[in-house]
Amino acid sequence: MPYSGIAEVVVNKKVGPEHFLMRVLVPELTKEAKPGQFVHVRCHGEMDPLLRRPLSLHGIDYEHGTISLLYQVVGRGTRLLAEMPTGAEVDIMGPLGRGFTIPEKAQNVFVIGGGIGVAPLFPLVQALKHYKIEQTILLGARSADWVIGTGQLASLGVKVEAATDDGSLGYKGFVTDLVGKRIKVIKPDYFFACGPNPMLKALLEVTRKSGLDGQVSLEERMGCGVGACLACVCKTVASSELLVASGNGKTVDSGEWRVGSGTEKTVREFEYKKVCSDGPVFGAGEVIFDD
Amino acid sequence: MINLAVDLGGLKMKNPVTTASGTFGFGPEYAPYVDLNRLGAITVKGTTLEPRKGNATPRIAETPAGILNCIGLQNPGVDEFIAKSLPYLRKYDTPVIVNIAGNSTDDYAEITRRLTAADGVSALEVNISCPNVKQGGMVFGTNCAAASEVIRVVRQNTTLPVIAKLSPNVTDITEIACGVADAGADALALINTLLGMKIDIKARKPVLGNIMGGLSGPAIRPVAVRIVWQVAQAVKLPILGMGGITTAEDALEFILAGATAIAVGTANFVNPRATMDVLDGIERYMRDNGVKDVGELVGAAWQ
Ligand SMILES: Cc1cc2nc3c(=O)[nH]c(=O)nc-3n(C[C@H](O)[C@H](O)[C@H](O)COP(=O)(O)OP(=O)(O)OC[C@H]3O[C@@H](n4cnc5c(N)ncnc54)[C@H](O)[C@@H]3O)c2cc1C
Ligand SMILES: Cc1cc2nc3c(=O)[nH]c(=O)nc-3n(C[C@H](O)[C@H](O)[C@H](O)COP(=O)(O)O)c2cc1C
Ligand code: FES
C-alpha cells in the first residue's frame, strides 16, 4: 500500500549545475519501493503552485528507511523543493507506478540515460549488479558538468560511457548515436532507458533496427499520480494493431510497425495507457511516439 | 448525536461528501488512501455509450491555484463499466453516482437504460456541461432547450434520481437550472469546469493538446459559491456543490450558500485524503457550533 504523508528531509544539496539531491526519511514508503517507481511530492503547503510533482526514486536505502531524489530545477515547484532545508517536512506519496522488471533472459544489458533521465536508473543498476548481470551504462548530456552521477556509478564498479553535445566528455554527439555504435560491438541482449521523449523516440529507432528489446521509462504531465484523472496518458500499441498496406489490412506483431515506406500507409491503432499507474516503465515494443 | 445524512433529490447519502466526476477514477484508484465506505457517495468518471479515447496530450496544465484539463471523456464505455467497475463498487456500502455524457439524446437515452438496468447504480449525474468534447457537452449545456431535452430523455428512461450537472460557461445559469428542473431533474450539480486556456510563450503555442480546457481547483471557488447561491434561491431543487473545495471550510461555504451535498474534485490530486479531511472538518464545525443536523446549514447564509 503506497504511503501518503509527511516525511523528513535529511539531506538536500546541490550536486550539479541545476541539480539537487534530496534524501528523505520515510520508512513506510521505502520498504515498498522498487527501481523505476516514483513519488508524488508537494513542494509546499500552499495552494499555488497547486499540483504535486512526480520524481523518480533515485536511491532506495532499505536499511535506513530513506529514499533519495535527484532533480533538476526547471520551474517553480522544483525551485521550492531546492529551498527546503534539512529537517524540513515534505508531503510525499508513493511508491507509485510500475518500475523496471529484469527479464530472466537478460545477461548483458545497456542502461541508457538522457539528461535528468539518469535519476531512476541508479536503483536499477544496483539491482542488475546484485543479479550479476553484465551492464554498460550510457549517459547523454549537453556537456561534461551536466553528466550527473558518473562518480557514484564508477564506485559501483560498472562501465560508464558518456556522450555530450559539445564533446567535453566522452563521445561527441547524441547518446542515441553512441548506443547505435556500441550495440554492434558489445552486442547487448536487452536495454533499459530513461530520458526526454525525443531521445527515447530516436533511441527506439536505433534499437528496433537492431532488433534489441528493452524497457523505457516515460514522462508525462500528471494530475493525481494514481490512475484516477487520465491526464498522464501515452500512446501504446493496441492489442489489435492493424497494418494497412496498400489497402490490404493485415495484422502485424507489436513492435515492428515500421514496415515498408513510400506508397504504403500504416494505420496504427493505438491505446492510451496511464504513465502514472500502467507505467512509467513500458516495454519498448509497446510505446508509440508521434511524428 | 450529530446528523450528517442528507437526501439529494431521492439519493440517500450518509454524509454530504462525494467526489467530483473525473477526479476520483472509478473508485479503486483512491482506495489505498480513503475508506470508500465513509464517503456519502462515489461519483465516477464520465461514462459514454461507446468507449472513448479522449483528447491528445498534454491534457493538463497548472494555472494560478488551479488546473486546466482537457481529458476529453476517455472512458471504457458503459458496458465495460457495468462489467468491470460496478462489481468492485458493489462491495462498498456507499451509493454510486454515475456521471453520463453523450453526443445525442439517443445516446443519453440508451446509456440511461443500461445503467438503470444494472445492479449497483444509485443515481445518474448528467453531464451536459463538459467543455471538452467538441460535439458533445458544450452544445447541450449552453442552450436551455437542448439542456432540458437531455434531462427529459434521461428522466423518461429511469427511475433513479437524476442530477443535472450544469456548465458555468453560460450567460444566465439560473435560466438553464429552471429549464432542467421543469424537465424533471431531481437535483443539480454545480459547477463543471470553466472554459480556459494557457499559452506557452516560448513555443508560442497553446499548452494543452486540445487548445482549450476546463479550469478547476481553488481558483474557481468564488465563482462556484456565487453560482450555488444564485441557483439555490431561484430553483427549489437540492444542489450538489463543487468547484475548488479543498477543506471543510470551503465545503461549508457551499452548504451555507445552499448546497445540500458537496463534491471534492481537484483537491484529491493535491491531498488524496481530502474527502476524509473535509468530512471530519464538517463534523467538527457542527460539534463546535452546536449544529445537530447538517440540513440546518443548507442555505443558512441567505435564509
Ligand atoms: C514519472 C516521472 C518521473 C520523473 N522523475 C524526475 C526526476 O527524478 N528528476 C527530475 O528532475 N525530474 C523528474 N521528472 C520531471 C519532473 O516531474 C518535472 O521536472 C517537474 O514536475 C517540474 O516542476 P516545476 O514546477 O519545477 O516546473 P514547471 O514547468 O513550472 O511545472 C509546471 C507543471 O508542468 C509539470 N511538468 C513540467 N515538466 C515536466 C516533465 N518533464 N514531466 C512531467 N511533468 C512536468 C509540472 O509537474 C507542473 O505540473 C519526472 C517526471 C515524471 C512524469
Ligand atoms: C481531470 C478532471 C476530469 C474531469 N472529468 C469530468 C467528467 O468526466 N465529467 C464531469 O461531469 N465533470 C468532470 N470534471 C469536472 C469536475 O467533476 C468538477 O465539476 C470540477 O472539476 C470542479 O470541481 P473542483 O474544482 O473541485 O475540481 C473533471 C475535472 C477534472 C479536473
Ligand atoms: S496522473 Fe492522473 S491518471 Fe496519471
Side-chain angles (χ1 to χ4, degrees):
Chain A
M1 194 102 87
Y3 172 81
S4 173
I6 296 299
E8 186 195 331
V9 176
V10 198
V11 176
N12 193 20
K13 61 174 186 203
K14 199 163 192 267
V15 294
E18 292 176 1
H19 305 74
F20 285 76
L21 183 83
M22 180 186 279
R23 199 158 84 234
V24 179
L25 177 65
V26 58
E28 299 94 320
L29 188 159
T30 308
K31 68 173 194 280
E32 296 187 17
K34 290 185 205 71
Q37 288 188 297
F38 70 99
V39 291
H40 217 20
V41 185
R42 264 190 97 177
C43 304
H44 60 170
E46 308 299 319
M47 285 300 146
D48 186 52
L50 186 63
L51 293 173
R52 289 171 179 268
R53 300 298 191 254
L55 293 173
S56 308
L57 293 169
H58 171 63
I60 308 170
D61 186 338
Y62 297 106
E63 198 186 328
H64 298 98
T66 64
I67 52 152
S68 47
L69 310 172
L70 175 66
Y71 61 98
Q72 187 180 344
V73 173
V74 297
R76 281 174 74 199
T78 44
R79 196 169 310 122
L80 284 164
L81 277 184
E83 285 164 7
M84 282 190 186
T86 302
E89 288 187 331
V90 58
D91 184 344
I92 195 164
M93 273 172 88
L96 301 175
R98 296 185 190 191
F100 296 106
T101 44
I102 303 175
E104 250 163 62
K105 62 167 189 139
Q107 291 303 321
N108 179 13
V109 306
F110 272 13
V111 181
I112 305 153
I116 193 66
V118 303
L121 301 178
F122 281 66
L124 171 71
V125 168
Q126 277 169 323
L128 289 166
K129 196 173 139 83
H130 174 80
Y131 292 116
K132 299 194 167 58
I133 294 166
E134 191 76 26
Q135 56 182 322
T136 308
I137 295 145
L138 301 117
L139 302 179
R142 61 183 86 160
S143 65
D145 52 342
W146 286 76
V147 184
I148 307 294
T150 40
Q152 199 185 332
L153 289 168
S155 73
L156 286 174
V158 290
K159 286 172 282 180
V160 186
E161 299 187 20
T164 50
D165 298 353
D166 63 359
S168 53
L169 184 70
Y171 176 81
K172 182 174 188 315
F174 294 131
V175 69
T176 46
D177 297 336
L178 178 62
V179 169
K181 291 191 192 312
R182 303 301 283 157
I183 280 182
K184 296 194 186 95
V185 182
I186 299 176
K187 299 195 171 62
D189 53 27
Y190 205 76
F191 77 95
F192 301 92
C194 183
N197 281 356
M199 172 201 131
L200 294 180
K201 185 174 179 230
L203 179 69
L204 290 191
E205 268 160 35
V206 173
T207 54
R208 279 172 188 162
K209 219 180 284 165
S210 325
L212 183 64
D213 194 15
Q215 287 162 36
V216 293
S217 179
L218 303 184
E219 272 186 4
E220 190 47 74
R221 310 261 149 168
M222 290 187 178
C224 66
V226 300
C229 74
L230 304 170
C232 66
V233 297
C234 65
K235 279 188 184 171
T236 61
V237 183
S239 1
S240 58
E241 164 82 325
L242 270 182
L243 172 76
V244 182
S246 317
N248 302 317
K250 78 171 196 219
T251 315
V252 296
D253 290 333
S254 58
E256 47 157 291
W257 50 69
R258 284 203 164 266
V259 188
S261 59
T263 55
E264 291 166 344
K265 195 171 141 226
T266 49
V267 177
R268 289 200 219 145
E269 195 47 51
F270 70 91
E271 191 178 326
Y272 276 128
K273 284 201 174 161
K274 298 179 264 194
V275 171
C276 70
S277 54
D278 298 320
V281 177
F282 291 91
E286 206 185 346
V287 294
I288 301 175
F289 289 110
D290 280 332
D291 296 321
Chain B
M1 258 308 271
I2 280 185
N3 181 32
L4 281 162
V6 297
D7 183 328
L8 185 73
L11 172 67
K12 305 266 186 287
M13 296 167 63
K14 58 191 158 227
N15 65 64
V17 181
T18 184
T19 56
S21 172
T23 65
F24 208 73
F26 291 104
E29 296 86 350
Y30 276 101
Y33 311 97
V34 172
D35 178 359
L36 301 183
N37 279 319
R38 284 193 67 207
L39 288 167
I42 298 173
T43 310
V44 298
K45 172 69 185 166
T47 304
T48 53
L49 201 51
E50 74 297 343
R52 292 237 187 130
K53 281 201 161 79
N55 288 325
T57 55
R59 289 179 169 186
I60 189 167
E62 202 176 47
T63 59
I67 58 171
L68 286 166
N69 90 81
C70 60
I71 309 301
L73 291 180
Q74 177 179 341
N75 81 94
V78 66
D79 294 336
E80 171 109 353
F81 166 76
I82 291 171
K84 299 256 171 74
S85 297
L86 271 184
Y88 172 85
L89 290 165
R90 278 198 295 267
K91 293 190 299 193
Y92 293 92
D93 174 32
T94 301
V96 173
I97 303 175
V98 182
N99 181 287
I100 59 171
N103 285 332
S104 65
T105 47
D106 289 348
D107 282 3
Y108 279 102
E110 184 55 28
I111 194 171
T112 298
R113 283 192 288 268
R114 290 193 202 173
L115 285 167
T116 305
D119 177 17
V121 179
S122 302
L124 299 178
E125 181 183 64
V126 189
N127 178 7
I128 50 173
S129 55
C130 188
N132 293 327
V133 180
K134 288 185 197 82
Q135 299 168 292
M138 201 60 178
V139 192
F140 294 112
T142 53
N143 173 310
C144 191
S148 307
E149 185 52 27
V150 171
I151 297 303
R152 189 167 302 116
V153 161
V154 173
R155 172 77 291 153
Q156 282 164 357
N157 285 284
T158 191
T159 47
L160 295 169
V162 174
I163 307 167
K165 185 164 180 182
L166 305 189
S167 166
N169 305 310
V170 295
T171 319
D172 183 2
I173 197 162
T174 55
E175 186 201 337
I176 302 205
C178 293
V180 298
D182 290 344
D186 299 300
L188 301 172
L190 307 166
I191 59 174
N192 210 317
T193 53
L194 287 155
L195 195 56
M197 71 181 285
K198 176 172 175 164
I199 292 172
D200 178 340
I201 60 163
K202 263 193 224 149
R204 302 188 180 181
K205 291 256 159 61
V207 171
L208 292 176
N210 196 47
I211 303 175
M212 290 176 220
L215 183 62
S216 66
I220 70 166
R221 197 171 65 236
V223 178
V225 171
R226 182 267 299 172
I227 288 177
V228 169
W229 168 278
Q230 283 181 320
V231 173
Q233 296 178 54
V235 185
K236 291 236 148 17
L237 296 181
I239 292 170
L240 172 58
M242 69 189 85
I245 296 174
T246 63
T247 63
E249 288 74 17
D250 302 343
L252 286 159
E253 275 197 58
F254 280 80
I255 295 171
L256 293 167
T260 296
I262 59 91
V264 177
T266 302
N268 293 306
F269 307 165
V270 183
N271 169 13
R273 275 191 281 272
T275 45
M276 297 296 104
D277 291 353
V278 167
L279 177 56
D280 292 341
I282 293 174
E283 201 171 339
R284 204 175 317 117
Y285 176 90
M286 288 172 63
R287 233 178 269 289
D288 291 351
N289 292 279
V291 181
K292 294 217 160 49
D293 190 316
V294 68
E296 294 167 37
L297 297 171
V298 177
W302 53 267
Q303 268 165 355

